[in-house]
Amino acid sequence: MTTSDGAAFRQVLDNLGRAIIDGRMAAGDTDTVDAIVARSGASRPVVREATRVLVSLGMLTAGRRVGLRVRPRAEWDLLDPQLIRWRLASPDRETQLDELRGLRLAVEPEAARLTAIRGIGAEELSGIADQLERSTLERDGPAFLDADRRFHALLLAAAGNGMLARLRDVVDEALRERTPGDPAHWQAAPGDIALHREVATAVAARDAERAAVAMRRILAT
Amino acid sequence: MTTSDGAAFRQVLDNLGRAIIDGRMAAGDTDTVDAIVARSGASRPVVREATRVLVSLGMLTAGRRVGLRVRPRAEWDLLDPQLIRWRLASPDRETQLDELRGLRLAVEPEAARLTAIRGIGAEELSGIADQLERSTLERDGPAFLDADRRFHALLLAAAGNGMLARLRDVVDEALRERTPGDPAHWQAAPGDIALHREVATAVAARDAERAAVAMRRILAT
DNA sequence: CTTCTTGAATAGTATGACTATTGGAGGCAC
DNA sequence: GTGCCTCCAATAGTCATACTATTCAAGAAG
């Protein structure tokens, strides 16, 4: 296992990242490499590497004589999966989930439109819709969620836009958060499945508008 | 000036990033820290810090005994502004611009919709539309482009979604690429300005659908 | 042919020293 | 008093070196 490799680095990075995200280090606060070394017990190279990453994520600036300064939230790279994970494990959790929903509502209908225009992946989408139906009949929660994830991931990938495809990993962070076993879920499932099928058939028919509308309805649920 | 601070680190990071982006180091290729140290002339800590950042950007994996391995493109953090800049300076440039257009087409109409629902920023949007008109009358290209950037940035910020707001910096990379002075531009400007006004008034009227449609038409140009 | 052992390659970690930059304090001129 | 200049000290940046831990792969053993 890789449990203990790069552990020092990861832990320092994680601690700093979390401290900034949840406001224990607020925007404008300063700190120094040496202070972090002393606090964390890690060596200087490790701390420096961690701060470099945080600088690259827009969370810190580093200046001689000034030390490390926390940047305002507006400048953080909120689309980085690592940051999303930190936010999901912070008091910001609900906000992060809301924002992910908003982002999906913006991006996925358009991805469905593009995929329909390209007419790509219709068969796979239809196959995944079958799996959605099967897992519903069998009341197999994990299988349902997994199929759902693959459906949306495939759609984003098939749009032929690398940046949209990248959002797959971003929204995946949200989808991974869902837990199976909600009884109310199975009642809503039939309509949900029908909408997924609608997307698949619209893509097969290259009907961009229909695909986008159906996808929007899926996400509006 | 900060011209020469962190120069060693930045240069190593830039060289490696560019080499990966433009395929001189292809997916699956391996390299070692020591080799990079030898090639670049920089010290080990500097090279290590750069590789840490590239790992965090999803472009590299680091393993003992294996060294550094370039990850496939699908796993790169294509939404990171730094990566976008690298792509814009690579043979991938046109693809990157296309993808940015696609992303805007997905995100900005939805941002307009959300902003309209919240009814926020209508006055500022209207003011920027005025500036668009004024700069058109005066044939002031840079002023026009700047106002246009501020219009779209404000709209993304006003949607109240941090992740959407973050996309402002992402699309800004594209908007910065435009050059003023295209004569054909001024002929299209009146319609463009009218659409911007339409967005502003729709936001003021809290008419989400109208705002989204107008924004979509702006981007479809 | 398969499985285990062993070794070498390589990233990870640590330490210490030196350099360069820069913000601020204190002094100096006006 | 005010504003400018000088100098100093704090701090990140850079470098060299050594040691540790991990892991792949070759070779040995069965």
Side-chain angles (χ1 to χ4, degrees), chain A residues 137-172:
Chain A
L137 292 175
E138 299 169 357
R139 291 290 188 269
D140 186 343
F144 184 92
L145 293 184
D146 182 63
D148 187 59
R149 270 177 55 191
R150 276 182 293 122
F151 187 94
H152 293 272
L154 175 57
L155 209 83
L156 284 169
N161 181 323
M163 300 184 79
L164 288 183
R166 177 59 186 170
L167 284 169
R168 175 180 71 96
D169 293 332
V170 171
V171 306
D172 226 46

Coordinates of all heavy atoms in Angstrom, one line a residue, chain A residues 137-172:
Chain A
L137 N -35.1 -2.3 -10.4 CA -36.0 -3.4 -10.2 C -35.4 -4.3 -9.0 O -36.2 -4.8 -8.2 CB -36.0 -4.3 -11.5 CG -36.8 -3.6 -12.6 CD1 -36.7 -4.5 -13.9 CD2 -38.3 -3.4 -12.2
E138 N -34.1 -4.4 -9.0 CA -33.5 -5.2 -8.0 C -33.2 -4.4 -6.7 O -32.6 -4.9 -5.7 CB -32.1 -5.7 -8.5 CG -32.3 -6.6 -9.7 CD -30.9 -6.9 -10.4 OE1 -29.9 -6.4 -9.9 OE2 -30.9 -7.7 -11.3
R139 N -33.6 -3.1 -6.7 CA -33.4 -2.3 -5.5 C -32.0 -2.3 -5.1 O -31.6 -2.4 -3.9 CB -34.3 -2.7 -4.3 CG -35.8 -2.5 -4.6 CD -36.1 -1.0 -4.5 NE -37.5 -0.6 -4.6 CZ -38.2 -0.4 -5.7 NH1 -37.6 -0.6 -6.9 NH2 -39.5 -0.1 -5.7
D140 N -31.1 -2.2 -6.1 CA -29.7 -2.2 -5.8 C -29.1 -0.8 -5.8 O -28.7 -0.3 -6.8 CB -28.9 -3.1 -6.9 CG -27.5 -3.3 -6.5 OD1 -26.9 -2.5 -5.7 OD2 -26.8 -4.2 -7.1
G141 N -29.1 -0.2 -4.6 CA -28.7 1.2 -4.5 C -27.4 1.6 -5.1 O -27.2 2.4 -5.9
P142 N -26.3 0.9 -4.6 CA -25.0 1.2 -5.1 C -24.9 1.1 -6.7 O -24.2 1.9 -7.3 CB -24.1 0.2 -4.4 CG -24.8 -0.1 -3.2 CD -26.3 -0.1 -3.5
A143 N -25.5 0.0 -7.2 CA -25.4 -0.2 -8.6 C -26.1 1.0 -9.4 O -25.6 1.5 -10.4 CB -26.1 -1.5 -9.0
F144 N -27.2 1.4 -8.8 CA -27.9 2.6 -9.4 C -27.1 3.8 -9.4 O -26.9 4.5 -10.5 CB -29.2 2.8 -8.6 CG -30.1 3.9 -9.2 CD1 -31.1 3.6 -10.1 CD2 -29.9 5.2 -8.9 CE1 -31.9 4.6 -10.7 CE2 -30.7 6.2 -9.5 CZ -31.7 5.9 -10.4
L145 N -26.5 4.1 -8.3 CA -25.7 5.3 -8.2 C -24.5 5.3 -9.1 O -24.1 6.2 -9.8 CB -25.2 5.6 -6.8 CG -26.3 5.9 -5.8 CD1 -25.7 6.2 -4.4 CD2 -27.1 7.1 -6.3
D146 N -23.9 4.1 -9.2 CA -22.7 3.9 -10.1 C -23.1 4.1 -11.5 O -22.4 4.8 -12.3 CB -22.1 2.5 -9.8 CG -20.9 2.3 -10.7 OD1 -19.9 3.1 -10.4 OD2 -20.9 1.5 -11.6
A147 N -24.2 3.5 -11.9 CA -24.7 3.6 -13.3 C -25.0 5.1 -13.6 O -24.6 5.6 -14.7 CB -25.9 2.8 -13.6
D148 N -25.6 5.8 -12.6 CA -25.9 7.2 -12.8 C -24.7 8.0 -13.0 O -24.6 8.8 -14.0 CB -26.7 7.7 -11.6 CG -27.2 9.1 -11.8 OD1 -28.0 9.3 -12.8 OD2 -26.8 10.0 -11.0
R149 N -23.7 7.7 -12.2 CA -22.4 8.4 -12.4 C -21.8 8.2 -13.7 O -21.3 9.1 -14.4 CB -21.4 8.0 -11.3 CG -21.5 8.7 -10.0 CD -20.5 8.2 -9.0 NE -19.1 8.1 -9.4 CZ -18.2 7.5 -8.8 NH1 -18.5 6.8 -7.6 NH2 -17.0 7.4 -9.3
R150 N -21.8 6.9 -14.2 CA -21.2 6.7 -15.5 C -22.0 7.3 -16.6 O -21.4 7.8 -17.6 CB -21.2 5.1 -15.7 CG -19.9 4.5 -15.0 CD -19.8 3.0 -15.3 NE -20.9 2.3 -14.6 CZ -21.7 1.5 -15.2 NH1 -21.7 1.3 -16.5 NH2 -22.7 0.9 -14.5
F151 N -23.3 7.4 -16.5 CA -24.1 8.1 -17.5 C -23.6 9.5 -17.7 O -23.3 10.0 -18.8 CB -25.6 8.0 -17.1 CG -26.5 8.5 -18.1 CD1 -27.1 7.7 -19.0 CD2 -26.8 9.9 -18.2 CE1 -28.0 8.1 -20.0 CE2 -27.7 10.3 -19.2 CZ -28.3 9.4 -20.1
H152 N -23.6 10.2 -16.5 CA -23.2 11.7 -16.6 C -21.8 11.9 -17.0 O -21.5 12.8 -17.8 CB -23.6 12.3 -15.3 CG -25.0 12.4 -15.0 ND1 -25.8 13.4 -15.4 CD2 -25.8 11.5 -14.3 CE1 -27.1 13.2 -15.0 NE2 -27.1 12.0 -14.4
A153 N -20.9 11.0 -16.6 CA -19.5 11.1 -16.9 C -19.3 10.9 -18.4 O -18.6 11.6 -19.1 CB -18.7 10.0 -16.2
L154 N -20.0 9.9 -18.9 CA -19.9 9.6 -20.4 C -20.4 10.8 -21.2 O -19.8 11.1 -22.2 CB -20.7 8.3 -20.7 CG -20.8 8.0 -22.2 CD1 -19.4 7.8 -22.8 CD2 -21.6 6.7 -22.4
L155 N -21.5 11.3 -20.8 CA -22.0 12.5 -21.5 C -21.1 13.6 -21.6 O -20.9 14.3 -22.6 CB -23.3 12.9 -20.9 CG -24.3 13.5 -21.9 CD1 -25.0 12.4 -22.6 CD2 -25.2 14.5 -21.2
L156 N -20.4 13.9 -20.4 CA -19.5 15.0 -20.4 C -18.3 14.7 -21.3 O -17.7 15.6 -21.9 CB -19.0 15.3 -19.0 CG -20.0 16.0 -18.1 CD1 -19.6 16.0 -16.6 CD2 -20.2 17.5 -18.6
A157 N -17.9 13.4 -21.3 CA -16.7 13.1 -22.1 C -17.0 13.1 -23.5 O -16.2 13.5 -24.4 CB -16.2 11.7 -21.6
A158 N -18.2 12.7 -23.9 CA -18.6 12.6 -25.3 C -18.8 13.9 -26.0 O -18.9 14.0 -27.2 CB -19.8 11.7 -25.5
A159 N -18.9 15.0 -25.2 CA -19.1 16.3 -25.8 C -17.9 16.8 -26.6 O -18.0 17.8 -27.3 CB -19.4 17.3 -24.7
G160 N -16.8 16.1 -26.4 CA -15.6 16.5 -27.2 C -14.9 17.7 -26.8 O -14.2 18.4 -27.6
N161 N -15.2 18.1 -25.6 CA -14.5 19.3 -25.1 C -13.7 19.0 -23.8 O -14.3 18.6 -22.8 CB -15.6 20.4 -24.8 CG -15.0 21.7 -24.3 OD1 -14.0 21.7 -23.5 ND2 -15.5 22.8 -24.7
G162 N -12.4 19.1 -23.9 CA -11.6 18.6 -22.8 C -11.9 19.3 -21.5 O -11.9 18.7 -20.4
M163 N -12.2 20.6 -21.6 CA -12.5 21.3 -20.3 C -13.9 20.8 -19.7 O -14.0 20.7 -18.5 CB -12.6 22.8 -20.6 CG -11.3 23.3 -21.1 SD -11.3 25.1 -21.4 CE -11.0 25.6 -19.7
L164 N -14.8 20.6 -20.6 CA -16.1 20.0 -20.1 C -15.8 18.7 -19.5 O -16.4 18.3 -18.4 CB -17.1 20.0 -21.2 CG -17.7 21.3 -21.6 CD1 -18.8 21.0 -22.7 CD2 -18.3 22.1 -20.5
A165 N -15.0 17.9 -20.2 CA -14.8 16.5 -19.7 C -14.1 16.6 -18.3 O -14.3 15.7 -17.5 CB -13.9 15.8 -20.7
R166 N -13.3 17.6 -18.2 CA -12.6 17.7 -16.9 C -13.6 18.0 -15.7 O -13.4 17.6 -14.6 CB -11.6 18.9 -17.0 CG -10.9 19.2 -15.7 CD -10.1 18.0 -15.2 NE -9.5 18.2 -13.9 CZ -8.9 17.2 -13.2 NH1 -8.9 16.0 -13.7 NH2 -8.4 17.5 -12.1
L167 N -14.7 18.6 -16.1 CA -15.7 18.9 -15.1 C -16.3 17.6 -14.5 O -17.0 17.6 -13.5 CB -16.8 19.8 -15.6 CG -16.3 21.3 -15.7 CD1 -17.3 22.1 -16.5 CD2 -16.2 21.9 -14.3
R168 N -16.1 16.5 -15.3 CA -16.6 15.2 -14.9 C -16.0 14.9 -13.5 O -16.7 14.5 -12.6 CB -16.2 14.1 -15.9 CG -16.4 12.7 -15.5 CD -16.0 11.8 -16.6 NE -14.6 11.7 -16.6 CZ -13.8 10.7 -16.0 NH1 -14.4 9.8 -15.3 NH2 -12.5 10.7 -16.2
D169 N -14.6 15.1 -13.4 CA -14.0 14.8 -12.1 C -14.5 15.7 -11.0 O -14.5 15.4 -9.8 CB -12.5 14.9 -12.2 CG -11.9 13.8 -13.1 OD1 -12.6 12.7 -13.2 OD2 -10.9 14.0 -13.8
V170 N -14.8 16.9 -11.4 CA -15.3 17.9 -10.5 C -16.7 17.5 -9.9 O -16.9 17.4 -8.7 CB -15.4 19.3 -11.1 CG1 -16.1 20.3 -10.2 CG2 -14.0 19.8 -11.5
V171 N -17.6 17.2 -10.8 CA -18.9 16.8 -10.3 C -18.9 15.5 -9.7 O -19.7 15.2 -8.8 CB -20.0 16.9 -11.4 CG1 -20.0 18.2 -12.2 CG2 -19.8 15.8 -12.4
D172 N -18.0 14.7 -10.1 CA -17.9 13.3 -9.5 C -17.6 13.4 -8.0 O -18.1 12.6 -7.2 CB -16.7 12.6 -10.1 CG -17.1 11.2 -10.5 OD1 -18.2 11.0 -11.1 OD2 -16.3 10.2 -10.2

